């Protein structure tokens, strides 16, 4: 059982630049939050890297250091922020527009936020039908646009004296697309960039440019982005860690907490109806059926993969699973979700559970962005590369090896994440058998 490994993790020296393609509600809530926390005027609630502890050894040893003291993470004071957006608003203006944080929280950091101005974006309206903005690059081809992004990355790194960079896509959800021939290999993808192939999405141009520049990449939206053979080939070639897709925050987080519980107790599920209202720009983008399709596919996969209807046909063989998102401007970022869950027990007797989650989308997503940025940077310094399945904990639609089904159960994901940290540090992994206490 011993899996002791232990890798040489390079120290987190110097500045870490966090690049954010898409500087809307999530990105600005994240940036403003880190600034407030650095000044001691807020706490990093929801961030495992900042608030979590990890148990080492036996329960009787009482050894549970803070994760941030156990693995080598960049310090919040060493972070600098940059990004791109199709709107020219600086981070303060974008945060005010997003309406997530109140002015009492934004005013003390106004100047610092104002200094963060988005670089011009790579954008194609065919991929986000509801948006159109002026802060957009012009280029002779998609290859040229990728070159311009690479020049941005180099200039940002030099100007800010960064030692390392990571990127987290916080841009809008692009329309649903399956991978095509142009995504099947790096060579075909590069030829597609040169010929401005229609199937190459803007998010893929960012992912390509970042990977070319040695920048690990996480995708917070459900669209494919780097989850294609071509870009994964590039990540492997460059020796870079990558992860995605779609931050797991509100309703799906609740699903992956509840569904494993039903399954653990062998309770049946007949149906799960989820609906929610939200009124932020993300909601507006998702009002387009093609962008919603990306989200729907990402949200629907969760239940089947946790409940395994093929193995448990009596319990989960005939589930009706419906997901709706309704754009409702008065709510802004304060989303309200309703879940009606029809379960059944002994002899098939039916029961219902109702969940009414009055959440705040970006408040839930901001700590996820922070953890992903810090853990991707850690992964890079530990020499990990390719798809980082141990970061599934943070995603609705985790990327995995091609023939592997994704693990959605939040608690399996948590165990995987913590055991990866223990393994990285040369510690015994914890298997929870616990018979040694009774011998
Ligand atoms: N908030 C959550 O809980 C949550 C959960 C899962 C996923 N997400 C995803 O995270 C992303 C960001 O969410 P948000 O609420 O901040 O949305 P938002 O609309 O406030 O911000 C997205 C920003 O991306 C910009 N953008 C779009 N295309 C771009 C491009 N090609 N280049 C640069 N900028 C571009 C938009 O102008 C906008 O400012 C969305 O894709 C959303 O689906 C959010």
């Amino acid at each position: 059982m011993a899996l002791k490994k232990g890798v040489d993790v390079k120290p987190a020296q110097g500045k870490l630049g966090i690049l954010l393609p898409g500087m809307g509600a999530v990105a600005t809530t994240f940036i403003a939050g880190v600034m407030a926390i650095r000044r001691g005027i807020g706490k990093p609630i929801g961030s495992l890297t900042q608030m979590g502890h990890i148990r080492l050894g036996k329960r009787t040893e009482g050894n549970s250091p803070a994760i941030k003291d156990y693995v080598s993470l960049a310090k919040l004071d060493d972070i600098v922020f940059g990004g791109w957006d199709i709107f020219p608003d600086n981070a303060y203006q974008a945060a005010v527009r997003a309406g997530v944080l109140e002015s009492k929280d934004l005013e003390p950091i106004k100047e610092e936020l104002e200094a963060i101005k988005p670089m011009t974006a790579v954008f194609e309206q065919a991929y986000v039908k509801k948006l159109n903005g002026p802060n957009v690059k012009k280029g002779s081809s998609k290859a040229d646009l990728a070159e311009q992004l690479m020049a941005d990355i180099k200039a940002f790194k030099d100007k800010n004296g960064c030692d390392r960079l990571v990127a987290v896509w916080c841009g809008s959800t692009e329309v649903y697309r399956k991978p095509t021939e142009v995504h099947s290999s790096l060579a075909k993808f590069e030829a597609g960039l040169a010929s401005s192939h229609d199937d190459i999405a803007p998010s893929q141009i960012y992912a390509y440019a970042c990977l070319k520049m040695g920048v690990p990449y996480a995708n917070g939206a459900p669209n494919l982005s780097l989850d294609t053979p071509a870009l994964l080939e590039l990540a492997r070639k460059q020796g870079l860690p990558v992860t995605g897709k779609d931050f797991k925050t509100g309703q799906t987080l609740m699903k992956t907490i509840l569904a494993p519980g039903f399954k653990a107790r062998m309770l049946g599920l007949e149906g799960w109806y989820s609906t929610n209202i939200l009124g932020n720009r993300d909601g507006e983008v998702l009002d387009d059926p093609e962008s919603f399709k990306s989200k729907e596919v990402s949200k629907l996969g969760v239940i089947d993969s946790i409940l395994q209807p093929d193995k448990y046909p009596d319990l989960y063989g005939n589930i009706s699973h419906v997901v709706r998102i309704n754009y409702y401007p008065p709510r802004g970022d304060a989303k309200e979700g309703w879940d009606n869950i029809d379960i059944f027990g002994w002899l098939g007797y039916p029961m219902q559970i109702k969940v009414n989650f009055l959440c705040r989308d970006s408040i839930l997503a901001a700590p996820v962005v922070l953890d992903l940025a810090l853990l991707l940077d850690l992964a890079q310094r530990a020499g990990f590369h390719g798809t980082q399945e141990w970061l599934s904990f943070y995603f609705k639609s985790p990327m995995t090896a091609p023939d592997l089904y994704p693990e959605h159960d939040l608690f399996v994901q948590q165990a995987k994440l913590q055991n990866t940290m223990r393994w990285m540090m040369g510690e015994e992994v914890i298997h929870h058998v616990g018979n040694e206490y009774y011998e």
Side-chain angles (χ1 to χ4, degrees), residues 65-116:
I67 286 176
K68 64 175 186 220
D69 297 331
Y70 180 58
V71 290
S72 143
L73 296 176
K75 304 259 175 304
L76 298 192
D77 284 338
D78 290 337
I79 293 176
V80 282
F81 305 96
W84 297 265
D85 205 285
I86 66 170
F87 297 105
D89 301 353
N90 63 46
Y92 174 77
Q93 293 165 323
V96 170
R97 194 207 165 279
V100 179
L101 299 177
E102 296 170 17
S103 62
K104 72 171 174 48
D105 295 312
L106 291 175
E107 287 317 303
I109 48 175
K110 182 174 179 194
E111 245 175 73
E112 218 183 329
L113 281 170
E114 279 174 339
I116 300 172

Side-chain angles (χ1 to χ4, degrees), residues 247-258 272-277 299 302 322-325 335-340 355-357 359 361 364 396:
F247 302 132
K248 178 153 86 172
T249 51
Q251 218 162 21
T252 309
L253 175 66
M254 296 307 288
K255 256 181 203 164
T256 64
I257 291 171
L258 291 172
W272 197 314
Y273 179 82
S274 304
T275 186
N276 58 62
I277 51 175
K299 282 175 171 259
V302 169
V322 179
V323 176
R324 296 274 177 271
I325 298 177
K335 176 154 93 183
E336 180 160 7
W338 292 266
D339 285 272
N340 171 76
V355 181
N356 180 200
F357 191 9
C359 71
D361 249 11
L364 292 167
K396 284 203 236 334

